[in-house]
Amino acid sequence: MQLTLWTYEGPPHIGAMRVATAMTGLHYVLHAPQGDTYADLLFTMIERRDARPPVTYTTFRAQDLGRDTAELFKTSVAAAYARFRPQAMIVGASCTAELIQDDPGGLAKALDLPIPVIPLELPAYQKKENWGASETFYRLVRALAGAPAPRQPREPGRRPLCNLLGPTALGFRHRDDLIEIRRLLDALGIDVNVVAPLGASPADLGRLKDADFNVVLYPETARAAAEYLKKAFGQPFTQAIPLGVGGTRRFVTEVAGLAGVDPAPVLDGPGSRLPWYSRSVDSTYLTAKRVFVFGDATHALGIARVAAQELGFTVVGLGTYSREFAREIRAEAAEHGIEALITDDYLDVEAAIRAAAPELVLGTQMERHVAKRLGIPCAVISAPVHVQDFPARYAPQMGFEGANVLFDTLVHPLMMGLEEHLLGMFREDPEFHDGVGPSHLGGTARAASSEAAAEVAEPAAPSAPAPILLDEPVVITTAPWAPEAEKELRKIPFFVRGKARSNTEKFARERRLPLITLETLYDAKAHYGR
Amino acid sequence: MNAPLPRQTARDAEACGGIDLHQEHGQRAVFCGLTGIVWLHRKIQDAFFLVVGSRTCAHLIQSAAGVMIFAEPRFATAIIDERDLAGIADANEELDRVVTRLIERRPDIKLLFLVGSCPSEVIKLDLSRAAQRLSGRLAPVRVLNYSGSGIETTFTQGEDACLAALVPELPRAPAEAAPSLLIVGALADVVEDQFLRIFSAMGIADVRFLPARRAGAMPAVGRGTRYLLAQPFLADTARALDERGAHRLAAPFPLGAEGTTGWLRAAADAFGVADETFAAATAAGRARAETALAPHREKLAGKRVFFFPDSQLEVPLARFLARELGAALVEVGTPYLHQGHLAAEIAWLPAGTRVTEGQSLDDQMDRCRAARPDLTVCGLGLANPLEAEGLSTKWSIELLFTPVQGYEQAGDLAELFARPLRRRALLEV
């Protein structure tokens, strides 16, 4: 048993849901107890999807265990087929159903549906979300890509054709990375055959073999499928990850090589603003800022390079929760002269951050909170992420526009150069001193002083004459608060307490009440309640 | 202010009764009982909740708890791995190791709940014996257990299971003790305090709450205990209290002005409070609730409302919307309908209201789409998809986390339903 507060990854069936939800015309029947439908809200809330994920759960309960859960599963598959008429289905078990040992694959096969039904074996007590996504995509490709055949040479005159593999539902910036990469490929004169899983149907997976090569954007989800396609159809696939200017240039060169086209139109094109921004004198203060990088392997590795080579930071920590890619991360850490941190325990990550004492943390949602607690600037560069990192605006990580986004993302949490300069120059001034902290983290000092001001304004005498406006703290004639009422006010959540206080005082002033009592507080609440 | 109070009479009940009750079986889009931890751990301030389950359980708690997970939370998951399943590691020894480490890390913990999950139930890990064993070893820390699994519990039933586990542990009230009032169900602190003041004004002095805010201050229970359920999902807790000789006071639930008055009235009647005293203690609150409700009545009157099953709060909420705000009820879904505890509520529902116990998700969504209600109360998995189909929704989980009971919150409760409609009217794009 492992004591866990926070998990970087969900169980493997969540990975399968990410693939199913990414695709069209595919339905997933998941043998799972009541309650496992919580996973729907990751897609409908965090990613703000406008439809339920295409998943039917058997939602069995204790009373079903005494009966026939296998029959329940078969009924659910039949009903899901009848209702949704998918082109193909995937079936499998969640962690609890794995224990009761019904055989989803065999049961579904017995129904003899007129569509491909692909069974998934996702060992929930050994593997995790990304592995589940990778395995699901691999099984789908294996089942639907058709019989292995040697690759046909490209007909003269036809533009090179590639597949884009890896983007899924609930993927960190997958939506916009895809737009950016399509733009690059188009500029190189390469056509895109199939993008999968995101937006692909089972029928589209049958056309994967028509491409000349594969572009693997996220190895965590797509490398296994790409390796299969290489073996079955002789399609080579890309290794370079287009993160940062250097990463994108390496990617363009590799893709152009696989396609047999000239990379110059893209390499000599306008590219990214990052190199100039990074060279501009305001960025000088970024030199050798100590940065700690943690995330999935792809992003941790790519962004550590951007930090060191394109922004001039010093990477003082590098790690991942993706054990499958530990080797690559260890090799990259060695380049920075440090030891990699391979863990899925956030307490280990927190300890490592404390020990490394970085000036900037680049990580997941979790590192954002650790950094907040430690008072260190932070930017999010990898899943798991919360709703704000599925933004409405265009915000790729990959390609040249992605590099622009990365420059802004990595630099904004730090004080801009001029600001830092002023802080040094006017160290003793009330507005600029060490106590105020970096600008984006401020608030503590300010909040305290406004709270103090409120305390000063409070003990005005009830019978005071009309207020006299002074330059210094404005005296407002407000009835004093009875201790009981004051105590009650403190029970109101802090974010609405200020409003409750001012409303009650206004209410008391208008009625010329000599004392704010509990009754006044609630009378005012009822009066102003919208 | 001194108008006679509405009293529920047999005739009223007859006139309003006769709901159209359906039972449905199929796919259920509901939370499991583990979710209750998210609000229970905030209520009992020195308790820790350790789920014994899978990565899925940990992931669920994390998804439900949102940002709370980071503030040194008092809940965690002991994730069962393949070594535990294969019998390579003795699951009980592993559990003892995890718990010992946890208590060392958190010496402030006085009460530890081992919370059962689907995986722990299916492999028949005996958590009650583990709790006994660990209670002996870790004294003075008390270790209890209950099940929050999806196969046994739906959402708020997790609180029921937790409180029911506490009941046998409660101190025994002396046999000769004067009657005392026990309020059962986790309420926001501010709501508890409001109720305490009202009871005090009525002259009912000995009022306690289950759960108490601290493990060492749990209320005593005995033959003199009269209890009021503050929540409709406490079937097992009520049964456990009955077994200890306590008596339930039949009442509606304290949602809205009318529900609150009915709920307080049940206590007043049981403790022989004079009508004038009762009126004096409640008049100001009722008047304020009326003031706060009035503006929402304009927005919600005549609006057609559809409830998906979630928390068992649906029936009292529907009653509040229908009677105090003039809404029309299309369908009231509930995961489980305790007809005994909800008798007063059912009697107050408009005659012929369709109440659905259980769920067949796709069929229910079809009915919802066909009815095109003005407001649909549902979980977060359905809310955005229904909004995208042009239906206004109110996500139901908020009703558990927001203080909604009592007079002073009646307006806030109405506001929760009115806000999505106001928002839809405001947006021009």
Side-chain angles (χ1 to χ4, degrees):
Chain A
M1 278 181 203
Q2 186 200 355
L3 185 61
T4 312
L5 293 178
W6 166 268
T7 95
Y8 284 97
E9 293 181 70
H13 73 259
I14 299 289
M17 282 185 71
R18 285 176 50 192
V19 171
T21 307
M23 289 180 61
T24 61
L26 180 73
H27 201 85
Y28 184 16
V29 180
L30 181 61
H31 204 15
Q34 167 176 271
D36 277 7
T37 51
Y38 82 87
D40 282 2
L41 67 87
L42 304 172
F43 299 91
T44 60
M45 295 306 294
I46 296 180
E47 203 179 7
R48 289 187 223 252
R49 284 194 169 254
D50 61 2
R52 286 192 61 233
V55 182
T56 295
Y57 305 78
T58 55
T59 58
F60 57 82
R61 293 187 287 156
Q63 65 222 50
D64 302 310
L65 292 178
R67 298 178 209 145
D68 198 350
T69 48
E71 195 55 41
L72 176 65
F73 181 79
K74 278 166 77 174
T75 317
S76 301
V77 174
Y81 175 72
R83 178 178 282 270
F84 300 104
R85 297 277 159 184
Q87 294 173 23
M89 274 173 131
I90 48 179
V91 295
S94 81
C95 51
T96 305
E98 188 182 330
L99 297 173
I100 62 176
Q101 295 185 332
D102 291 331
D103 168 22
L107 292 168
K109 201 173 171 202
L111 288 171
D112 200 21
L113 296 177
I115 53 164
V117 178
I118 299 140
L120 299 175
E121 293 287 345
L122 304 176
Y125 298 90
Q126 300 165 32
K127 303 289 189 181
K128 289 181 277 190
E129 178 178 332
N130 281 337
W131 187 90
S134 174
E135 173 71 7
T136 303
F137 186 43
Y138 163 72
R139 289 286 157 198
L140 279 165
V141 168
R142 235 193 116 113
L144 300 172
R151 180 156 60 113
Q152 298 302 311
R154 177 151 58 102
E155 289 159 31
R158 176 169 74 71
R159 291 190 5 148
L161 195 60
C162 72
N163 300 313
L164 285 183
L165 304 181
T168 63
L170 219 60
F172 177 63
R173 308 293 167 86
H174 288 192
R175 177 196 70 194
D176 295 344
D177 283 349
L178 201 49
I179 297 171
E180 194 58 23
I181 296 304
R182 277 178 174 277
R183 192 180 288 166
L184 282 179
L185 293 171
D186 191 53
L188 287 169
I190 300 168
D191 287 333
V192 173
N193 179 43
V194 174
V195 178
L198 193 59
S201 67
D204 291 332
L205 297 188
R207 299 190 293 109
L208 283 169
K209 59 178 178 295
D210 300 342
D212 301 310
F213 65 100
N214 287 313
V215 171
V216 173
L217 289 184
Y218 310 101
E220 275 92 345
T221 42
R223 187 182 284 174
E227 272 165 1
Y228 172 75
L229 290 170
K230 184 177 179 187
K231 208 172 94 192
F233 305 106
Q235 293 169 333
F237 63 90
T238 57
Q239 304 288 338
I241 302 297
L243 281 168
V245 175
T248 302
R249 293 178 69 89
R250 282 190 292 277
F251 173 81
V252 167
T253 307
E254 187 184 14
V255 167
L258 289 178
V261 298
D262 181 7
V266 172
L267 294 182
D268 299 344
S272 165
R273 280 177 214 102
L274 183 147
W276 166 241
Y277 268 53
S278 205
R279 280 181 162 74
S280 87
V281 291
D282 190 59
S283 296
T284 313
Y285 78 106
L286 298 174
T287 311
K289 286 261 185 203
R290 299 163 58 80
V291 57
F292 189 101
V293 185
F294 192 86
D296 66 30
T298 302
H299 286 89
L301 199 145
I303 283 162
R305 283 183 194 161
V306 173
Q309 297 164 5
E310 303 183 15
L311 290 168
F313 292 150
T314 301
V315 177
V316 295
L318 175 62
T320 184
Y321 57 82
S322 312
R323 287 182 187 278
E324 296 91 338
F325 294 83
R327 199 155 39 96
E328 286 90 332
I329 290 287
R330 287 207 175 92
E332 182 67 20
E335 297 278 310
H336 297 278
I338 51 175
E339 198 170 326
L341 175 69
I342 314 294
T343 182
D344 56 2
D345 185 339
Y346 86 91
L347 293 172
D348 292 348
V349 180
E350 183 171 338
I353 292 175
R354 277 179 197 276
E359 293 165 271
L360 175 67
V361 174
L362 304 175
T364 71
Q365 179 73 4
M366 189 57 214
E367 283 67 49
R368 195 166 71 80
H369 286 269
V370 169
K372 194 153 127 195
R373 197 153 49 199
L374 300 177
I376 306 172
C378 177
V380 170
I381 50 119
S382 161
V385 293
H386 206 48
V387 61
Q388 71 269 31
D389 279 301
F390 286 92
R393 68 178 186 280
Y394 185 53
Q397 298 279 291
M398 292 182 166
F400 291 131
E401 184 57 28
N404 294 341
V405 170
L406 280 177
F407 180 88
D408 291 345
T409 309
L410 270 52
V411 170
H412 277 183
L414 299 166
M415 273 174 288
M416 296 304 285
L418 186 60
E419 204 177 331
E420 186 159 309
H421 179 64
L422 288 173
L423 187 62
M425 243 170 81
F426 305 119
R427 187 167 292 279
E428 304 308 321
D429 281 20
E431 287 86 355
F432 291 105
H433 60 86
D434 289 346
V436 298
S439 50
H440 77 291
L441 291 169
T444 45
R446 188 178 293 243
S449 68
S450 71
E451 190 72 21
E455 296 299 323
V456 168
E458 241 163 87
S463 58
I468 302 158
L469 294 178
L470 300 172
D471 287 336
E472 273 305 302
V474 180
V475 178
I476 305 163
T477 329
T478 297
W481 285 70
E484 205 189 355
E486 183 80 51
K487 217 171 132 195
E488 190 81 353
L489 183 70
R490 301 230 171 268
K491 295 174 193 163
I492 297 172
F494 69 92
F495 47 87
V496 289
R497 199 180 298 149
K499 195 178 168 205
R501 179 188 286 277
S502 65
N503 274 354
T504 310
E505 290 176 348
K506 187 170 166 226
F507 183 84
R509 269 199 304 279
E510 285 168 355
R511 281 157 190 73
R512 300 182 176 282
L513 301 175
L515 182 74
I516 295 175
T517 64
L518 256 179
E519 294 299 298
T520 322
L521 176 65
Y522 284 119
D523 283 338
K525 182 171 191 279
H527 178 78
Y528 289 108
R530 286 162 304 126
Chain B
M1 282 245 171
N2 293 320
L5 296 167
R7 282 244 207 175
Q8 189 201 338
T9 65
R11 196 169 48 81
D12 278 338
E14 218 175 81
C16 300
I19 53 166
D20 181 19
L21 179 62
H22 296 254
Q23 280 176 335
E24 206 168 28
H25 304 281
Q27 187 184 186
R28 294 161 70 105
V30 288
F31 280 123
C32 66
L34 294 182
T35 327
I37 293 170
V38 178
W39 66 86
L40 280 169
H41 87 282
R42 300 190 60 221
K43 189 71 214 176
I44 314 175
Q45 291 157 14
D46 49 4
F48 194 101
F49 293 78
L50 180 66
V51 177
V52 182
S54 64
R55 182 168 301 281
T56 309
C57 306
H59 196 236
L60 158 87
I61 302 272
Q62 175 172 320
S63 308
V67 294
M68 266 198 274
I69 198 101
F70 305 104
E72 270 298 319
R74 281 176 287 101
F75 52 82
T77 309
I79 295 185
I80 298 170
D81 57 32
E82 52 178 339
R83 294 172 66 251
D84 303 303
L85 294 177
I88 298 168
D90 181 274
N92 284 308
E93 279 172 22
E94 282 288 290
L95 184 60
D96 290 8
R97 183 182 60 80
V98 165
V99 168
T100 308
R101 195 181 148 209
L102 177 71
I103 296 294
E104 280 167 7
R105 245 181 78 87
R106 300 297 302 270
D108 50 323
I109 298 305
K110 302 284 186 289
L111 176 60
L112 174 70
F113 286 101
L114 300 178
V115 188
S117 65
C118 301
S120 76
E121 308 255 320
V122 168
I123 63 170
K124 302 207 181 332
L125 191 57
D126 192 342
L127 291 184
S128 69
R129 275 186 55 193
Q132 273 178 17
R133 185 176 68 236
L134 287 163
S135 265
R137 193 175 300 178
L138 298 171
V141 177
R142 276 197 302 164
V143 185
L144 298 176
N145 94 290
Y146 72 88
S147 169
S149 72
I151 56 178
E152 308 236 304
T153 58
T154 305
F155 195 25
T156 48
Q157 282 178 325
E159 176 175 333
D160 187 27
C162 173
L163 300 189
L166 272 175
V167 171
E169 301 286 310
L170 298 178
R172 176 170 300 283
E176 69 282 9
S180 64
L181 180 61
L182 182 64
I183 308 301
V184 188
L187 293 169
D189 289 358
V190 64
V191 177
E192 282 188 1
D193 294 347
Q194 289 166 7
F195 284 147
L196 270 180
R197 283 196 294 272
I198 296 175
F199 286 126
S200 162
M202 282 191 222
I204 306 176
D206 190 2
V207 183
R208 306 288 299 277
F209 293 87
L210 181 70
R213 295 178 199 182
R214 307 205 74 87
M218 290 295 167
V221 65
R223 299 217 156 270
T225 306
R226 307 280 176 276
Y227 68 92
L228 265 181
L229 296 180
Q231 301 282 17
F233 42 74
L234 298 172
D236 289 348
T237 308
R239 200 175 303 127
L241 284 166
D242 292 344
E243 280 169 16
R244 296 212 40 188
H247 292 284
R248 182 176 72 88
L249 305 177
F253 291 92
L255 296 168
E258 192 181 36
T260 303
T261 303
W263 188 76
L264 293 168
R265 161 67 71 185
D269 287 351
F271 284 78
V273 175
D275 277 4
E276 314 80 71
T277 313
F278 182 76
T282 55
R286 284 170 53 216
R288 279 197 294 262
E290 275 306 313
T291 312
L293 284 172
H296 298 299
R297 196 170 296 131
E298 286 166 34
K299 290 169 204 139
L300 285 162
K303 292 289 186 288
R304 299 167 61 253
V305 185
F306 192 109
F307 282 86
F308 278 82
D310 190 50
S311 63
Q312 299 185 48
L313 279 166
E314 295 83 5
V315 166
L317 288 171
R319 175 269 299 165
F320 164 69
L321 280 173
R323 285 170 67 101
E324 297 194 46
L325 296 163
L329 303 175
V330 179
E331 174 169 338
V332 182
T334 179
Y336 176 69
L337 186 70
H338 193 300
Q339 300 206 25
H341 290 179
L342 285 166
E345 297 286 353
I346 292 169
W348 270 351
L349 278 184
T353 300
R354 182 187 166 113
V355 176
T356 308
E357 184 183 16
Q359 185 173 36
S360 170
L361 177 64
D362 289 314
D363 295 331
Q364 195 166 34
M365 287 184 82
D366 283 349
R367 291 199 298 278
C368 182
R369 289 178 180 121
R372 309 253 353 133
D374 298 303
L375 186 67
T376 302
V377 185
C378 62
L380 288 174
L382 303 182
N384 271 338
L386 290 174
E387 290 279 353
E389 293 180 27
L391 296 171
S392 283
T393 61
K394 165 71 217 128
W395 50 283
S396 50
I397 308 157
E398 194 177 14
L399 297 159
L400 263 300
F401 294 109
T402 312
V404 294
Q405 293 85 359
Y407 291 128
E408 317 299 353
Q409 281 66 238
D412 301 345
L413 179 56
E415 158 78 8
L416 288 180
F417 295 103
R419 194 183 299 148
L421 298 176
R422 186 150 54 97
R423 181 163 187 78
R424 180 158 288 247
L426 277 173
L427 299 181
E428 291 180 7
V429 288

